[in-house]
Amino acid sequence: MLILRDKNNVISFPLKESFKFINSQLFAEKNLIEEKGFYSTYNVTLAQAILGLGVGYRKQLTIAGIGYSCEYKNDSHSLILKLGFSHTVIFPLDKQIIAACPKPRLIVLKSLDKKALHKCAQEIQNLRKPNPYKDLGIYHADVKYRTKVGKKT
């Protein structure tokens, strides 16, 4: 187990016994052929954990649609979304994800863990997927979406 520490945060990173972390470099035993395939994966995941600990990750979601809005409840650590359903959607967040709604149609998610952040953002987007014909739904702010022309009569 590799433990990464910052002034305020701690991230634990599981390592297999065949990998060793010496002088801030990752080494694998040469005789294990099946472990060599995991070397690059472990190296990239470890680099992402170090970057997340140092800077952190951020994801922005934009909500498009008439009457669609969001707000963050700090006491329950959840998002309350109005997405055109007959009811409001309450989306509970993980403890490692920090959310904010600076505007009624903008969700900002922050986390140290990239994998958990992208999973949470995708689950929020799955509540109301983007509709390319009507330009409705929850969009990732950094992704370009094309609006399609509907059928002409």
Side-chain angles (χ1 to χ4, degrees), residues 134-153:
K134 296 182 180 178
D135 198 23
L136 300 173
I138 301 174
Y139 296 92
H140 290 282
D142 56 347
V143 178
K144 300 255 181 177
Y145 292 94
R146 289 178 42 190
T147 304
K148 295 182 181 179
V149 178
K151 184 167 59 171
K152 295 179 183 178
T153 56

Side-chain angles (χ1 to χ4, degrees), residues 26 49 58 96 125 129 138:
L26 185 66
R58 183 177 180 203
Q96 57 189 350
Q125 188 181 27
K129 290 187 178 181
I138 301 174

Side-chain angles (χ1 to χ4, degrees), residues 72-86:
Y72 174 68
K73 288 287 186 183
N74 198 11
D75 55 346
S76 62
H77 194 61
S78 60
L79 288 171
I80 297 178
L81 303 162
K82 295 178 185 175
L83 299 173
F85 299 121
S86 61

Side-chain angles (χ1 to χ4, degrees), residues 93-142:
L93 295 169
D94 292 336
K95 292 181 180 179
Q96 57 189 350
I97 294 176
I98 301 167
C101 295
K103 296 179 183 176
R105 293 184 179 211
L106 181 66
I107 302 170
V108 179
L109 302 172
K110 296 178 186 175
S111 178
L112 300 177
D113 189 8
K114 185 177 183 179
K115 190 175 183 181
L117 180 70
H118 285 285
K119 181 183 175 201
C120 180
Q122 192 61 42
E123 287 175 358
I124 292 172
Q125 188 181 27
N126 286 340
L127 294 174
R128 184 62 96 173
K129 290 187 178 181
N131 187 343
Y133 296 102
K134 296 182 180 178
D135 198 23
L136 300 173
I138 301 174
Y139 296 92
H140 290 282
D142 56 347

